[in-house]
Amino acid sequence: MSGSSPAARLQQLFEGRRLTPTQRRIAHSMVRRAGDVPFLSSVELAELAGVSQPSVTRFAVALGFDGYPALRKHLREVAPGGPEPVGGDDAYNEYQQAVLGEIENLRHLAELLADPGPVERAGRLLAASRPLPVLGLRAASSQARGFGYFAAKVHPDVRVLDEGGSMLRDRIDATRRSGASALICFALPRHPKEVVDALAYAQEQGLAVVSVADSAFAPVAKYSDLLIPAAVGTGLAFDTACAPMLLGRVLLEAMCDGLPDAQARLEEFDARAAARGLFVE
């Protein structure tokens, strides 16, 4: 474990824990600022996560420590880092800070992808599913549509599920009856209960669930056979999702590796697009 990043070591500390929504928020904030957390007081961590100081203390106890000082001592041993320079953000306005926050999210994603195993496994599951349902509601609907748009260029049968309501389970049933073996879900905050319920139902029907979520502690984790986290930016009024989008493209690449005719399909599309004059050079 010594060769992994501080963020990865923190993830391992939280894995398998039954955390409340508030505790998941604290854990998510700690992973995002893994290099700084061992040097934060409980009050500072509470401010970072947007929770109360007693919530941080209860969180430490839930992890099996006597209190936050014991947790912080443990963090300095397993996830050592260094505090950011005081006032380092003062030179940037709020828009620049939002961009820098997304850059940090992408760095965390790059660290996560140092182990390509989960992405490769997900690619195989998605490539083998005929059809391939792609689920994403509300804030995540654009992620699902974007993934589905490109996936349809190489996969023979992609079905985007981006509308909720009473028909959602019917559409999941239809994909299962048609032979689907896996479903990919994009889950972003705020997490609709309908998505969690849909994933539970998909698993009941025998579908393997691959999820792209903003955190390993997202509500969809319970109903995901494979969850790969990619943090969202929270520096603006509305969350930004550069890392989840990039992870979706990475999964597309892995899926292409599992589709032997992917390149031929792309070349066929390019030829037809040229013949139709579809794009302007």
Side-chain angles (χ1 to χ4, degrees):
M1 191 168 70
S2 60
S4 59
S5 69
R9 291 195 287 275
L10 276 177
Q11 292 267 22
Q12 292 174 8
L13 175 64
F14 305 137
E15 283 176 0
R17 304 281 185 174
R18 295 181 63 86
L19 303 177
T20 67
T22 295
Q23 291 168 348
R24 287 197 299 268
R25 185 171 184 174
I26 297 170
H28 179 44
S29 298
M30 291 174 70
V31 171
R32 290 188 62 196
R33 298 286 294 274
D36 304 327
V37 164
F39 303 90
L40 299 180
S41 68
S42 60
V43 173
E44 290 170 330
L45 178 56
E47 292 177 352
L48 177 65
V51 301
S52 67
Q53 190 274 335
S55 293
V56 172
T57 300
R58 288 192 293 269
F59 173 71
V61 173
L63 293 179
F65 297 93
D66 293 335
Y68 181 72
L71 170 59
R72 185 169 63 175
K73 180 177 182 294
H74 179 74
L75 294 178
R76 291 180 178 181
E77 295 170 353
V78 302
E84 293 183 348
V86 176
D89 288 342
D90 291 347
Y92 301 103
N93 63 43
E94 61 179 311
Y95 311 123
Q96 291 176 298
Q97 289 180 33
V99 173
L100 292 172
E102 283 287 36
I103 291 172
E104 188 62 22
N105 289 340
L106 292 173
R107 286 199 183 100
H108 287 162
L109 179 59
E111 292 175 356
L112 182 71
L113 295 177
D115 176 9
V119 166
E120 292 171 350
R121 179 187 167 202
R124 291 191 295 269
L125 288 171
L126 303 180
S129 184
R130 303 285 196 283
L132 173 61
V134 182
L135 173 63
L137 302 183
R138 293 186 179 267
S141 61
S142 61
Q143 301 292 327
R145 288 194 295 270
F147 183 94
Y149 172 80
F150 289 110
K153 296 183 183 300
V154 294
H155 192 288
D157 191 354
V158 177
R159 304 187 188 183
V160 176
L161 312 179
D162 60 350
E163 295 182 2
S166 61
M167 292 291 291
L168 183 55
R169 288 195 177 191
D170 294 344
R171 298 177 70 190
I172 292 174
D173 284 339
T175 63
R176 189 71 179 108
R177 285 195 301 269
S178 298
S181 57
L183 174 150
I184 179 170
C185 172
F186 289 86
L188 301 177
R190 301 172 62 183
H191 295 276
K193 182 179 182 296
E194 193 171 14
V195 170
V196 178
D197 293 342
L199 293 191
Y201 182 73
Q203 284 192 328
E204 290 174 3
Q205 303 311 305
L207 290 171
V209 174
V210 175
S211 292
V212 172
D214 60 300
S215 165
F217 318 106
V220 298
K222 182 178 179 181
Y223 301 106
S224 301
D225 297 281
L226 178 59
L227 185 150
I228 307 176
V232 300
T234 57
L236 301 175
F238 299 100
D239 290 345
T240 51
C242 295
M245 182 187 70
L246 180 55
L247 179 55
R249 300 298 187 269
V250 169
L251 288 169
L252 279 169
E253 185 77 9
M255 187 182 75
C256 286
D257 291 340
L259 294 168
D261 58 347
Q263 187 59 40
R265 285 178 177 273
L266 285 174
E267 292 174 358
E268 179 183 2
F269 172 80
D270 285 342
R272 289 182 177 179
R276 294 165 56 192
L278 193 58
F279 301 111
V280 178
E281 299 296 336

